[in-house]
Amino acid sequence: MRANSLALRLFLSATAWTVIILLATGISLSSLYRQAVERSFDRRLGVYLRTLVAEVAAPEEGAERGPLSLGEPLFELPLSGWYWQITRLGAQKPETRSSRSLWDQTLPHLAEQGVQPGADGSRRSYVPGPEDQRLRLVERTVDLGDEGRFLVSVAGDPQEIDEETRSFDNALAITFVMLAAVLLLITMFQVRFGLAPLKRISESLAAIRAGRSERLEGEFPDEIAPLARETNALIEANREIVERARTHVGNLAHALKTPLSVVVNEAATRGDDDPLARKVREQAAIMRDQVARHLERARLSARLTVVGTVTEVKPVVTALARTMEKLHHDRGLVIDADVPETLRFVGERQDLEEMVGNLVDNACKWAQGRVAIEAIPAPAPDRRAGAGLRIVVDDDGPGLSEAEREQVARRGKRLDESKPGSGLGLSIVTELAGLYGGKLTLSAAPIGGLRAELLLPAG
């Protein structure tokens, strides 16, 4: 999951709510369990308390008023944490009886600490005991009428409450950690399963852009199906617009060529001595070059709006090399082409033919006897793209200086009027490569002439 992905947001939000709910549930269950353990502990203390109350209310005749064992050995062990105490209230000097475990200490009175009695009349709370022990104390006041009022107290060590609660908390924590892990795995599966159609759309769009497909195919959920339909409609509309633009550009080119040819022919009939005819021919040539340039740019821009076209590089380069060898067979020109089978250009075939064809044609015009063409994988010209390719065209001609290379890269600038052509070849290559996000660079070739390097996106 990427940092800014919808899947990560859904997963993190589900994780946060899962943790919050499990923590709240764990705290609630732990509190409820502790209360249950305390009630059980209090019932145990209550049994001892009722036994003491019964002893106070109906003592056996002739029984000594000494310590009682209550059948629990811990009440006999000094400072064992289990104590009972009976205090007679209302007398000038309170009489106190207590377990042997209490030794010479006394238990605090909850009534004096403001603890309110419960429904059964007894008070319960945690208190400090002998040796700063923490005790769970239950006390009850017994009114025997003429016999007087007695405060009966029983205290026990709450360590077993803490141990029981701690044991439960550990088991609960292990259970909830396992439950959280399972829930998170289920959440991850649900997120991936739920967003799978979006991933499928993304992959289909990438396939369309790479030329492996022409439209979004397959069944999509009801929530995403409208998006797929509108995307397909947009692709079709884009293709129709491009086709209409191509038609208009072609019609405009044909509409302008005929009038310009008529103007040039009429001026030619006036002869070279007529200054007006020379001026007309000069301006008509400029108009023809400018019209060709702008029509070419419009045509290229229209073609580049088509989505999903991929062209194999090797057939294009091989066909161009054979054609150029035939055109220059009288010069004995050798053209070497080294292109891998797997290289593909993300764009239309005619665009690749036009770019490479202009470079090879220019190299053949100036080469002495050899032209080398090589295509290799390279980093993409656009960082957002996945891959790129580099097409290198070398010749063994006279080459160009650095200043001349900068000059020849300008639009329509020619260094030698003796060579055929309009001078628009490199300019068209530069503009067309730029429309694809690529670029053209000129440098010195290892075989002695000019090197033209064309960087383009690859599929």
Side-chain angles (χ1 to χ4, degrees):
M1 298 183 188
R2 290 176 292 182
N4 195 31
S5 67
L6 182 61
L8 182 61
R9 293 183 181 184
L10 292 175
F11 178 75
L12 291 179
S13 62
T15 300
W17 281 112
T18 299
V19 171
I20 291 173
I21 292 173
L22 289 180
L23 282 177
T25 304
I27 293 173
S28 299
L29 289 177
S30 177
S31 177
L32 292 174
Y33 184 78
R34 184 178 183 85
Q35 293 175 11
V37 174
E38 284 182 347
R39 287 194 298 270
S40 177
F41 193 80
D42 289 344
R43 283 194 294 269
R44 180 179 173 186
L45 294 177
V47 172
Y48 296 138
L49 183 68
R50 287 192 295 272
T51 302
L52 291 172
V53 169
E55 177 65 23
V56 171
E60 295 181 5
E61 294 184 2
E64 295 182 359
R65 297 180 62 83
L68 300 173
S69 67
L70 300 180
E72 175 57 66
L74 291 175
F75 287 115
E76 303 295 326
L77 297 177
L79 305 177
S80 64
W82 288 83
Y83 314 105
W84 61 262
Q85 178 177 283
I86 302 174
T87 304
R88 183 166 186 168
L89 306 175
Q92 293 182 353
K93 184 177 181 181
E95 298 179 6
T96 300
R97 299 169 59 194
S98 61
S99 63
R100 292 182 179 179
S101 58
L102 194 55
W103 204 247
D104 57 351
Q105 306 289 328
T106 58
L107 297 175
H109 296 172
L110 297 181
E112 296 176 356
Q113 297 180 3
V115 178
Q116 299 299 319
D120 59 351
S122 61
R123 295 180 174 88
R124 297 176 174 83
S125 181
Y126 290 96
V127 297
E131 303 294 330
D132 292 328
Q133 291 175 310
R134 182 168 172 267
L135 302 176
R136 178 70 174 174
L137 178 65
V138 178
E139 67 176 26
R140 183 176 179 182
T141 301
V142 180
D143 189 353
L144 298 180
D146 295 339
E147 300 250 344
R149 296 172 60 248
F150 296 87
L151 180 65
V152 182
S153 305
V154 179
D157 188 355
Q159 182 177 358
E160 60 183 74
I161 297 178
D162 298 335
E163 291 177 351
E164 286 290 333
T165 304
R166 191 179 304 112
S167 177
F168 177 79
D169 289 345
N170 291 337
L172 189 66
I174 295 174
T175 302
F176 274 21
V177 166
M178 297 176 62
L179 179 61
V182 172
L183 290 176
L184 293 181
L185 290 175
I186 293 175
T187 300
M188 184 180 298
F189 171 77
Q190 288 179 334
V191 168
R192 290 186 177 275
F193 179 76
L195 297 182
L198 290 179
K199 184 178 180 182
R200 190 147 49 91
I201 284 185
S202 177
E203 293 174 347
S204 298
L205 290 175
I208 292 173
R209 183 173 180 83
R212 297 188 299 272
S213 179
E214 294 185 354
R215 55 185 289 115
L216 296 177
E217 303 290 348
E219 296 293 330
F220 295 97
D222 294 340
E223 295 81 2
I224 302 178
L227 174 62
R229 288 196 301 269
E230 293 300 323
T231 301
N232 286 331
L234 181 62
I235 293 173
E236 293 299 327
N238 179 68
R239 294 183 187 277
E240 293 177 2
I241 291 173
V242 170
E243 290 299 326
R244 287 198 297 268
R246 286 178 177 175
T247 302
H248 293 327
V249 169
N251 293 339
L252 180 59
H254 287 291
L256 290 174
K257 282 181 180 180
T258 301
L260 282 175
S261 298
V262 172
V263 170
V264 171
N265 292 334
E266 287 295 326
T269 61
R270 299 288 183 123
D272 295 335
D273 297 334
D274 191 337
L276 178 60
R278 288 199 304 271
K279 196 64 175 178
V280 169
R281 288 197 300 270
E282 177 186 338
Q283 295 302 315
I286 294 175
M287 289 174 61
R288 186 166 49 202
D289 289 344
Q290 293 298 323
V291 168
R293 178 190 306 280
H294 290 290
L295 288 178
E296 184 69 15
R297 290 190 64 185
R299 182 176 62 84
L300 297 179
S301 298
R303 291 212 315 248
L304 286 171
T305 57
V306 179
V307 179
T309 303
V310 173
T311 303
E312 293 184 3
V313 178
K314 185 169 184 177
V316 172
V317 174
T318 303
L320 285 172
R322 291 175 181 173
T323 301
M324 290 299 172
E325 279 187 338
K326 291 179 180 179
L327 290 175
H328 299 276
H329 71 280
D330 56 331
R331 297 169 52 197
L333 197 63
V334 176
I335 301 177
D336 298 324
D338 182 12
V339 182
E341 295 278 355
T342 57
L343 272 186
R344 299 197 305 169
F345 162 62
V346 179
E348 293 197 355
R349 181 186 180 94
Q350 53 194 4
D351 293 337
L352 183 62
E353 289 176 344
E354 186 150 12
M355 287 185 286
V356 179
N358 275 302
L359 295 180
V360 176
D361 180 52
N362 185 73
C364 290
K365 290 176 183 177
W366 296 97
Q368 299 295 329
R370 181 186 171 197
V371 173
I373 308 171
E374 182 183 14
I376 56 175
D382 186 348
R383 293 181 179 178
R384 295 171 296 178
L389 65 93
R390 186 182 302 275
I391 300 176
V392 181
V393 180
D394 294 338
D395 65 74
D396 60 351
L400 297 174
S401 66
E402 184 174 352
E404 289 174 332
R405 289 197 294 266
E406 293 179 0
Q407 186 178 2
V408 80
R410 298 174 186 173
R411 298 180 180 180
K413 185 67 177 178
R414 300 178 63 189
L415 295 178
D416 191 347
E417 299 290 340
S418 64
K419 296 294 182 181
S422 64
L424 295 177
L426 292 180
S427 177
I428 291 174
V429 174
T430 300
E431 292 181 4
L432 186 52
L435 292 174
Y436 277 105
K439 62 179 180 179
L440 172 67
T441 57
L442 302 177
S443 60
I447 60 176
L450 181 67
R451 162 169 286 189
E453 295 187 44
L454 185 63
L455 183 61
L456 297 171

